[in-house]
Amino acid sequence: MNTSIFTPPEIPTVPIKGSPLTYPVRRIFCVGRNYAAHAAEMGNEVDREAPFYFTKSAFALCPSGSSIPMPPGTQDCHFEMEFVVALGAAAFEVDENSAMQAVFGYACGIDLTRRDLQAAAKEKRRPWDLGKDFENAALIAPLTQAADFGTIKDQAIRLLQNGEIRQEARLSDMIWSVPAIIAHLSRYYHLEPGDLIYTGTPAGVGPVHAGDTLRGEIDGLAPLDLRVAL
Ligand code: MN
C-alpha cells in the first residue's frame, strides 16, 4: 500500500553514452575556487590548505538539450563550465591512491550561479544557497564511463556562448585533483553511488542572457547544449 500523501518525485537521472541504462542521482557536491585564474577574477585568494564545497539538490539538475527560462530573482546569472565526476561505488575515508576506484564516469556540466545573490550572501557572511541551488542550476550532459574517457590529464575544457569561446582551460589546471577531492570529501561524507561532484570552473565566467545558446565541451566527453528562452 502506498502511504505517501502525494506521489513521490522520480529520482533525477543522467543518460549514459552508449548505454540504455541511466545513472540515478543522489547528491551534488560542488568545489569552489579550483582554478587559480577564476579565483583571481572573482577577487579571491586560493585556499591551498583544503578544498571547500557547497551543494545543490538533485532536483536542480537539467539535461543537455534543454531550453530553460531565465532563472527568477536575479539580474546577473552566470555560467560556470565544469568537469563533473559521477561516483559508482561507496567511498569513506579513502586515500588518494584508492579514490578513483569509486568513479563511474564523467560529464560536462554547468554550475549556473545567481552571481548577484551569491555576492550579497558573501557580503553578509550568509550561506550561498540562493545563489547556487535553484531549479535548472545543475546542467549536465550524458555521462561517459571512466574506462572510455581514460586518464584525467590535460584535456581541454571550454564554454562557448552564442558560438564565442568564453572559458578555455585544461583539466590539469585544477588546483585539487579528482582523487584529492574524493579523498578529502570522503573524510566528511559516506560517499555513495549517485553522488556527483562538480569540480570547479576556469576563468572567463560571465552573464547569461535571454536568447543565448551555451555549449560546454571537454575533450573526450559528450558536449552540453543549452538554450535560454527569450
Ligand atoms: Mn562552480
Side-chain angles (χ1 to χ4, degrees):
M1 191 180 83
N2 182 1
T3 55
S4 302
I5 60 162
F6 55 85
T7 306
E10 275 186 43
I11 299 274
T13 60
V14 181
I16 300 165
K17 206 167 126 189
S19 171
L21 304 177
T22 61
Y23 177 93
V25 177
R26 190 167 179 268
R27 294 180 291 191
I28 303 176
F29 298 99
C30 305
V31 180
R33 295 170 205 160
N34 202 23
Y35 291 78
H38 171 63
E41 76 179 347
M42 300 299 295
N44 295 310
E45 295 277 322
V46 170
D47 183 346
R48 293 187 185 268
E49 275 175 24
F52 75 93
Y53 312 94
F54 56 89
T55 57
K56 297 194 191 219
S57 163
F59 296 100
L61 281 171
C62 175
S64 177
S66 298
S67 177
I68 65 166
M70 279 296 282
T74 180
Q75 303 303 319
D76 194 25
C77 183
H78 278 204
F79 52 80
E80 293 191 357
M81 178 62 199
E82 310 205 359
F83 180 64
V84 180
V85 179
L87 300 188
F92 181 63
E93 295 183 344
V94 295
D95 62 24
E96 290 189 30
N97 296 321
S98 59
M100 296 305 281
Q101 292 170 19
V103 174
F104 171 77
Y106 308 105
C108 289
I110 295 177
D111 162 17
L112 219 51
T113 301
R114 294 192 285 212
R115 190 72 72 204
D116 45 357
L117 302 189
Q118 184 201 25
K122 281 182 182 174
E123 175 85 28
K124 293 182 175 167
R125 296 170 164 260
R126 288 177 178 169
W128 290 5
D129 300 53
L130 278 184
K132 288 292 194 179
D133 187 8
F134 53 95
E135 293 97 347
N136 301 320
L139 307 168
I140 193 157
L143 286 165
T144 293
Q145 298 191 47
D148 296 334
F149 181 73
T151 308
I152 301 168
K153 40 184 200 279
D154 60 352
Q155 290 91 344
I157 174 171
R158 66 181 77 81
L159 182 130
L160 295 92
Q161 182 179 35
N162 305 319
E164 301 211 6
I165 294 178
R166 300 293 185 209
Q167 294 185 274
E168 189 162 38
R170 300 262 166 199
L171 297 185
S172 49
D173 295 333
M174 285 193 275
I175 294 165
W176 301 99
S177 69
V178 169
I181 293 164
I182 294 170
H184 185 262
L185 251 189
S186 81
R187 288 158 53 185
Y188 300 92
Y189 296 93
H190 291 79
L191 298 173
E192 295 283 348
D195 288 340
L196 297 179
I197 305 171
Y198 281 61
T199 59
T201 197
V205 300
V208 173
H209 309 105
D212 274 358
T213 58
L214 297 181
R215 183 180 179 89
E217 298 176 344
I218 295 171
D219 291 345
L221 296 181
L224 194 168
D225 286 298
L226 181 78
R227 178 174 289 276
V228 183
L230 273 174

PDB file of all heavy atoms in Angstrom, residues 30-34 38 54 56 79-82 110-113 115 118 128 132 198-202 205, ligand 1:
ATOM      1  N   CYS A  30      29.746  20.513  -5.007  1.00  0.00           N
ATOM      2  CA  CYS A  30      30.432  21.421  -5.929  1.00  0.00           C
ATOM      3  C   CYS A  30      31.654  21.991  -5.221  1.00  0.00           C
ATOM      4  O   CYS A  30      31.574  22.411  -4.064  1.00  0.00           O
ATOM      5  CB  CYS A  30      29.518  22.573  -6.320  1.00  0.00           C
ATOM      6  SG  CYS A  30      27.925  22.064  -7.015  1.00  0.00           S
ATOM      7  N   VAL A  31      32.775  22.007  -5.946  1.00  0.00           N
ATOM      8  CA  VAL A  31      34.022  22.536  -5.391  1.00  0.00           C
ATOM      9  C   VAL A  31      34.125  24.015  -5.744  1.00  0.00           C
ATOM     10  O   VAL A  31      33.845  24.418  -6.872  1.00  0.00           O
ATOM     11  CB  VAL A  31      35.236  21.784  -5.977  1.00  0.00           C
ATOM     12  CG1 VAL A  31      36.543  22.332  -5.410  1.00  0.00           C
ATOM     13  CG2 VAL A  31      35.115  20.288  -5.702  1.00  0.00           C
ATOM     14  N   GLY A  32      34.503  24.831  -4.764  1.00  0.00           N
ATOM     15  CA  GLY A  32      34.718  26.251  -5.013  1.00  0.00           C
ATOM     16  C   GLY A  32      36.182  26.531  -5.311  1.00  0.00           C
ATOM     17  O   GLY A  32      37.061  25.850  -4.807  1.00  0.00           O
ATOM     18  N   ARG A  33      36.415  27.516  -6.176  1.00  0.00           N
ATOM     19  CA  ARG A  33      37.788  28.013  -6.427  1.00  0.00           C
ATOM     20  C   ARG A  33      38.818  26.925  -6.681  1.00  0.00           C
ATOM     21  O   ARG A  33      39.793  26.787  -5.947  1.00  0.00           O
ATOM     22  CB  ARG A  33      38.250  28.865  -5.232  1.00  0.00           C
ATOM     23  CG  ARG A  33      37.434  30.122  -5.084  1.00  0.00           C
ATOM     24  CD  ARG A  33      37.714  30.842  -3.777  1.00  0.00           C
ATOM     25  NE  ARG A  33      36.559  31.649  -3.401  1.00  0.00           N
ATOM     26  CZ  ARG A  33      36.313  32.096  -2.175  1.00  0.00           C
ATOM     27  NH1 ARG A  33      37.138  31.832  -1.195  1.00  0.00           N
ATOM     28  NH2 ARG A  33      35.242  32.804  -1.927  1.00  0.00           N
ATOM     29  N   ASN A  34      38.607  26.179  -7.775  1.00  0.00           N
ATOM     30  CA  ASN A  34      39.551  25.097  -8.072  1.00  0.00           C
ATOM     31  C   ASN A  34      40.460  25.409  -9.247  1.00  0.00           C
ATOM     32  O   ASN A  34      41.225  24.555  -9.683  1.00  0.00           O
ATOM     33  CB  ASN A  34      38.793  23.783  -8.305  1.00  0.00           C
ATOM     34  CG  ASN A  34      39.676  22.585  -8.088  1.00  0.00           C
ATOM     35  OD1 ASN A  34      40.685  22.664  -7.371  1.00  0.00           O
ATOM     36  ND2 ASN A  34      39.342  21.476  -8.709  1.00  0.00           N
ATOM     37  N   HIS A  38      40.369  31.667 -12.120  1.00  0.00           N
ATOM     38  CA  HIS A  38      38.979  32.019 -11.779  1.00  0.00           C
ATOM     39  C   HIS A  38      38.918  32.642 -10.382  1.00  0.00           C
ATOM     40  O   HIS A  38      38.206  33.626 -10.169  1.00  0.00           O
ATOM     41  CB  HIS A  38      38.053  30.804 -11.849  1.00  0.00           C
ATOM     42  CG  HIS A  38      36.674  31.083 -11.303  1.00  0.00           C
ATOM     43  ND1 HIS A  38      35.823  32.014 -11.862  1.00  0.00           N
ATOM     44  CD2 HIS A  38      36.008  30.581 -10.239  1.00  0.00           C
ATOM     45  CE1 HIS A  38      34.693  32.057 -11.166  1.00  0.00           C
ATOM     46  NE2 HIS A  38      34.779  31.209 -10.165  1.00  0.00           N
ATOM     47  N   PHE A  54      30.092  23.504  -1.760  1.00  0.00           N
ATOM     48  CA  PHE A  54      28.687  23.800  -1.489  1.00  0.00           C
ATOM     49  C   PHE A  54      27.911  22.689  -2.168  1.00  0.00           C
ATOM     50  O   PHE A  54      28.497  21.851  -2.858  1.00  0.00           O
ATOM     51  CB  PHE A  54      28.304  25.199  -1.993  1.00  0.00           C
ATOM     52  CG  PHE A  54      28.580  25.435  -3.448  1.00  0.00           C
ATOM     53  CD1 PHE A  54      27.637  25.139  -4.416  1.00  0.00           C
ATOM     54  CD2 PHE A  54      29.825  25.937  -3.868  1.00  0.00           C
ATOM     55  CE1 PHE A  54      27.909  25.344  -5.761  1.00  0.00           C
ATOM     56  CE2 PHE A  54      30.092  26.152  -5.212  1.00  0.00           C
ATOM     57  CZ  PHE A  54      29.137  25.857  -6.153  1.00  0.00           C
ATOM     58  N   LYS A  56      24.146  21.245  -4.193  1.00  0.00           N
ATOM     59  CA  LYS A  56      22.903  21.546  -4.899  1.00  0.00           C
ATOM     60  C   LYS A  56      21.997  20.331  -4.752  1.00  0.00           C
ATOM     61  O   LYS A  56      22.479  19.200  -4.634  1.00  0.00           O
ATOM     62  CB  LYS A  56      23.160  21.797  -6.392  1.00  0.00           C
ATOM     63  CG  LYS A  56      24.045  23.003  -6.691  1.00  0.00           C
ATOM     64  CD  LYS A  56      23.991  23.398  -8.156  1.00  0.00           C
ATOM     65  CE  LYS A  56      25.073  24.424  -8.467  1.00  0.00           C
ATOM     66  NZ  LYS A  56      24.609  25.469  -9.399  1.00  0.00           N
ATOM     67  N   PHE A  79      27.215  31.629 -16.158  1.00  0.00           N
ATOM     68  CA  PHE A  79      27.603  30.246 -16.493  1.00  0.00           C
ATOM     69  C   PHE A  79      28.939  29.946 -15.825  1.00  0.00           C
ATOM     70  O   PHE A  79      29.801  30.831 -15.701  1.00  0.00           O
ATOM     71  CB  PHE A  79      27.716  30.046 -18.012  1.00  0.00           C
ATOM     72  CG  PHE A  79      28.586  31.060 -18.709  1.00  0.00           C
ATOM     73  CD1 PHE A  79      29.973  30.946 -18.697  1.00  0.00           C
ATOM     74  CD2 PHE A  79      28.024  32.147 -19.378  1.00  0.00           C
ATOM     75  CE1 PHE A  79      30.781  31.880 -19.333  1.00  0.00           C
ATOM     76  CE2 PHE A  79      28.819  33.094 -20.011  1.00  0.00           C
ATOM     77  CZ  PHE A  79      30.207  32.961 -19.987  1.00  0.00           C
ATOM     78  N   GLU A  80      29.104  28.715 -15.367  1.00  0.00           N
ATOM     79  CA  GLU A  80      30.389  28.203 -14.867  1.00  0.00           C
ATOM     80  C   GLU A  80      30.552  26.801 -15.446  1.00  0.00           C
ATOM     81  O   GLU A  80      29.921  25.852 -14.980  1.00  0.00           O
ATOM     82  CB  GLU A  80      30.413  28.135 -13.327  1.00  0.00           C
ATOM     83  CG  GLU A  80      30.377  29.477 -12.638  1.00  0.00           C
ATOM     84  CD  GLU A  80      30.681  29.387 -11.134  1.00  0.00           C
ATOM     85  OE1 GLU A  80      30.867  28.253 -10.615  1.00  0.00           O
ATOM     86  OE2 GLU A  80      30.728  30.446 -10.484  1.00  0.00           O
ATOM     87  N   MET A  81      31.384  26.669 -16.462  1.00  0.00           N
ATOM     88  CA  MET A  81      31.627  25.368 -17.091  1.00  0.00           C
ATOM     89  C   MET A  81      32.464  24.488 -16.163  1.00  0.00           C
ATOM     90  O   MET A  81      33.473  24.944 -15.620  1.00  0.00           O
ATOM     91  CB  MET A  81      32.351  25.603 -18.422  1.00  0.00           C
ATOM     92  CG  MET A  81      32.713  24.334 -19.167  1.00  0.00           C
ATOM     93  SD  MET A  81      31.232  23.385 -19.612  1.00  0.00           S
ATOM     94  CE  MET A  81      31.992  21.778 -19.905  1.00  0.00           C
ATOM     95  N   GLU A  82      32.060  23.212 -15.990  1.00  0.00           N
ATOM     96  CA  GLU A  82      32.774  22.350 -15.042  1.00  0.00           C
ATOM     97  C   GLU A  82      32.873  20.890 -15.512  1.00  0.00           C
ATOM     98  O   GLU A  82      32.016  20.396 -16.236  1.00  0.00           O
ATOM     99  CB  GLU A  82      32.090  22.406 -13.662  1.00  0.00           C
ATOM    100  CG  GLU A  82      31.861  23.854 -13.224  1.00  0.00           C
ATOM    101  CD  GLU A  82      31.768  24.085 -11.731  1.00  0.00           C
ATOM    102  OE1 GLU A  82      31.866  23.120 -10.954  1.00  0.00           O
ATOM    103  OE2 GLU A  82      31.592  25.268 -11.356  1.00  0.00           O
ATOM    104  N   ILE A 110      27.435  22.502 -16.183  1.00  0.00           N
ATOM    105  CA  ILE A 110      27.493  23.944 -15.930  1.00  0.00           C
ATOM    106  C   ILE A 110      26.840  24.206 -14.577  1.00  0.00           C
ATOM    107  O   ILE A 110      25.727  23.754 -14.320  1.00  0.00           O
ATOM    108  CB  ILE A 110      26.791  24.762 -17.036  1.00  0.00           C
ATOM    109  CG1 ILE A 110      27.543  24.604 -18.370  1.00  0.00           C
ATOM    110  CG2 ILE A 110      26.706  26.241 -16.645  1.00  0.00           C
ATOM    111  CD1 ILE A 110      26.871  25.320 -19.553  1.00  0.00           C
ATOM    112  N   ASP A 111      27.599  24.884 -13.721  1.00  0.00           N
ATOM    113  CA  ASP A 111      27.118  25.314 -12.398  1.00  0.00           C
ATOM    114  C   ASP A 111      26.550  26.715 -12.596  1.00  0.00           C
ATOM    115  O   ASP A 111      27.277  27.699 -12.549  1.00  0.00           O
ATOM    116  CB  ASP A 111      28.317  25.286 -11.432  1.00  0.00           C
ATOM    117  CG  ASP A 111      28.095  26.110 -10.169  1.00  0.00           C
ATOM    118  OD1 ASP A 111      26.946  26.447  -9.856  1.00  0.00           O
ATOM    119  OD2 ASP A 111      29.106  26.419  -9.499  1.00  0.00           O
ATOM    120  N   LEU A 112      25.250  26.767 -12.882  1.00  0.00           N
ATOM    121  CA  LEU A 112      24.593  28.068 -13.095  1.00  0.00           C
ATOM    122  C   LEU A 112      24.502  28.784 -11.746  1.00  0.00           C
ATOM    123  O   LEU A 112      24.138  28.176 -10.743  1.00  0.00           O
ATOM    124  CB  LEU A 112      23.202  27.822 -13.691  1.00  0.00           C
ATOM    125  CG  LEU A 112      22.681  28.766 -14.768  1.00  0.00           C
ATOM    126  CD1 LEU A 112      23.676  28.955 -15.908  1.00  0.00           C
ATOM    127  CD2 LEU A 112      21.365  28.245 -15.323  1.00  0.00           C
ATOM    128  N   THR A 113      24.860  30.057 -11.748  1.00  0.00           N
ATOM    129  CA  THR A 113      25.032  30.804 -10.491  1.00  0.00           C
ATOM    130  C   THR A 113      24.347  32.157 -10.555  1.00  0.00           C
ATOM    131  O   THR A 113      24.617  32.949 -11.474  1.00  0.00           O
ATOM    132  CB  THR A 113      26.548  31.013 -10.234  1.00  0.00           C
ATOM    133  OG1 THR A 113      27.181  29.742 -10.151  1.00  0.00           O
ATOM    134  CG2 THR A 113      26.792  31.796  -8.952  1.00  0.00           C
ATOM    135  N   ARG A 115      24.844  35.233  -9.574  1.00  0.00           N
ATOM    136  CA  ARG A 115      26.039  35.870  -9.018  1.00  0.00           C
ATOM    137  C   ARG A 115      25.689  37.021  -8.077  1.00  0.00           C
ATOM    138  O   ARG A 115      26.368  37.239  -7.077  1.00  0.00           O
ATOM    139  CB  ARG A 115      26.941  36.392 -10.158  1.00  0.00           C
ATOM    140  CG  ARG A 115      28.315  36.862  -9.685  1.00  0.00           C
ATOM    141  CD  ARG A 115      29.209  35.681  -9.288  1.00  0.00           C
ATOM    142  NE  ARG A 115      29.629  34.944 -10.465  1.00  0.00           N
ATOM    143  CZ  ARG A 115      30.009  33.650 -10.424  1.00  0.00           C
ATOM    144  NH1 ARG A 115      30.025  32.982  -9.287  1.00  0.00           N
ATOM    145  NH2 ARG A 115      30.385  33.033 -11.517  1.00  0.00           N
ATOM    146  N   GLN A 118      24.694  35.480  -4.825  1.00  0.00           N
ATOM    147  CA  GLN A 118      25.878  34.906  -4.171  1.00  0.00           C
ATOM    148  C   GLN A 118      26.741  36.012  -3.563  1.00  0.00           C
ATOM    149  O   GLN A 118      27.213  35.904  -2.427  1.00  0.00           O
ATOM    150  CB  GLN A 118      26.708  34.087  -5.171  1.00  0.00           C
ATOM    151  CG  GLN A 118      27.895  33.385  -4.513  1.00  0.00           C
ATOM    152  CD  GLN A 118      28.978  33.007  -5.510  1.00  0.00           C
ATOM    153  OE1 GLN A 118      29.112  33.612  -6.572  1.00  0.00           O
ATOM    154  NE2 GLN A 118      29.751  31.983  -5.162  1.00  0.00           N
ATOM    155  N   TRP A 128      25.323  30.357   0.634  1.00  0.00           N
ATOM    156  CA  TRP A 128      25.229  30.641  -0.790  1.00  0.00           C
ATOM    157  C   TRP A 128      23.993  30.035  -1.467  1.00  0.00           C
ATOM    158  O   TRP A 128      23.847  30.152  -2.685  1.00  0.00           O
ATOM    159  CB  TRP A 128      26.458  30.067  -1.519  1.00  0.00           C
ATOM    160  CG  TRP A 128      27.729  30.765  -1.232  1.00  0.00           C
ATOM    161  CD1 TRP A 128      27.955  31.787  -0.343  1.00  0.00           C
ATOM    162  CD2 TRP A 128      29.006  30.482  -1.842  1.00  0.00           C
ATOM    163  NE1 TRP A 128      29.278  32.157  -0.362  1.00  0.00           N
ATOM    164  CE2 TRP A 128      29.944  31.365  -1.273  1.00  0.00           C
ATOM    165  CE3 TRP A 128      29.427  29.574  -2.813  1.00  0.00           C
ATOM    166  CZ2 TRP A 128      31.300  31.360  -1.654  1.00  0.00           C
ATOM    167  CZ3 TRP A 128      30.767  29.561  -3.188  1.00  0.00           C
ATOM    168  CH2 TRP A 128      31.687  30.464  -2.605  1.00  0.00           C
ATOM    169  N   LYS A 132      23.199  29.539  -5.576  1.00  0.00           N
ATOM    170  CA  LYS A 132      23.712  28.323  -6.203  1.00  0.00           C
ATOM    171  C   LYS A 132      22.704  27.195  -6.411  1.00  0.00           C
ATOM    172  O   LYS A 132      22.837  26.421  -7.340  1.00  0.00           O
ATOM    173  CB  LYS A 132      24.861  27.772  -5.337  1.00  0.00           C
ATOM    174  CG  LYS A 132      26.150  28.598  -5.402  1.00  0.00           C
ATOM    175  CD  LYS A 132      26.800  28.521  -6.779  1.00  0.00           C
ATOM    176  CE  LYS A 132      28.241  29.030  -6.776  1.00  0.00           C
ATOM    177  NZ  LYS A 132      28.854  28.922  -8.126  1.00  0.00           N
ATOM    178  N   TYR A 198      30.806  18.415  -8.955  1.00  0.00           N
ATOM    179  CA  TYR A 198      31.185  19.459  -9.913  1.00  0.00           C
ATOM    180  C   TYR A 198      32.520  20.017  -9.412  1.00  0.00           C
ATOM    181  O   TYR A 198      32.609  20.476  -8.269  1.00  0.00           O
ATOM    182  CB  TYR A 198      30.114  20.551  -9.958  1.00  0.00           C
ATOM    183  CG  TYR A 198      28.887  20.190 -10.782  1.00  0.00           C
ATOM    184  CD1 TYR A 198      28.095  19.096 -10.445  1.00  0.00           C
ATOM    185  CD2 TYR A 198      28.520  20.937 -11.898  1.00  0.00           C
ATOM    186  CE1 TYR A 198      26.969  18.769 -11.207  1.00  0.00           C
ATOM    187  CE2 TYR A 198      27.393  20.619 -12.657  1.00  0.00           C
ATOM    188  CZ  TYR A 198      26.626  19.530 -12.303  1.00  0.00           C
ATOM    189  OH  TYR A 198      25.514  19.205 -13.056  1.00  0.00           O
ATOM    190  N   THR A 199      33.551  19.976 -10.263  1.00  0.00           N
ATOM    191  CA  THR A 199      34.914  20.186  -9.777  1.00  0.00           C
ATOM    192  C   THR A 199      35.442  21.606  -9.920  1.00  0.00           C
ATOM    193  O   THR A 199      36.650  21.827  -9.835  1.00  0.00           O
ATOM    194  CB  THR A 199      35.873  19.195 -10.463  1.00  0.00           C
ATOM    195  OG1 THR A 199      35.802  19.413 -11.878  1.00  0.00           O
ATOM    196  CG2 THR A 199      35.511  17.753 -10.144  1.00  0.00           C
ATOM    197  N   GLY A 200      34.561  22.573 -10.118  1.00  0.00           N
ATOM    198  CA  GLY A 200      35.002  23.961 -10.173  1.00  0.00           C
ATOM    199  C   GLY A 200      35.152  24.467 -11.596  1.00  0.00           C
ATOM    200  O   GLY A 200      35.214  23.686 -12.542  1.00  0.00           O
ATOM    201  N   THR A 201      35.204  25.784 -11.737  1.00  0.00           N
ATOM    202  CA  THR A 201      35.187  26.398 -13.070  1.00  0.00           C
ATOM    203  C   THR A 201      36.456  27.180 -13.357  1.00  0.00           C
ATOM    204  O   THR A 201      37.039  27.782 -12.456  1.00  0.00           O
ATOM    205  CB  THR A 201      33.955  27.316 -13.221  1.00  0.00           C
ATOM    206  OG1 THR A 201      33.744  27.587 -14.614  1.00  0.00           O
ATOM    207  CG2 THR A 201      34.126  28.653 -12.484  1.00  0.00           C
ATOM    208  N   PRO A 202      36.898  27.169 -14.626  1.00  0.00           N
ATOM    209  CA  PRO A 202      38.036  28.007 -15.022  1.00  0.00           C
ATOM    210  C   PRO A 202      37.630  29.476 -15.141  1.00  0.00           C
ATOM    211  O   PRO A 202      36.454  29.811 -15.005  1.00  0.00           O
ATOM    212  CB  PRO A 202      38.432  27.453 -16.396  1.00  0.00           C
ATOM    213  CG  PRO A 202      37.586  26.287 -16.675  1.00  0.00           C
ATOM    214  CD  PRO A 202      36.420  26.329 -15.736  1.00  0.00           C
ATOM    215  N   VAL A 205      34.087  33.253 -16.538  1.00  0.00           N
ATOM    216  CA  VAL A 205      32.649  33.186 -16.260  1.00  0.00           C
ATOM    217  C   VAL A 205      32.000  34.510 -16.644  1.00  0.00           C
ATOM    218  O   VAL A 205      32.653  35.558 -16.633  1.00  0.00           O
ATOM    219  CB  VAL A 205      32.375  32.877 -14.762  1.00  0.00           C
ATOM    220  CG1 VAL A 205      32.982  31.550 -14.372  1.00  0.00           C
ATOM    221  CG2 VAL A 205      32.880  34.001 -13.857  1.00  0.00           C
TER     222      VAL A 205
HETATM  223 MN    MN B   1      31.230  26.417  -9.748  1.00  0.00          MN
END
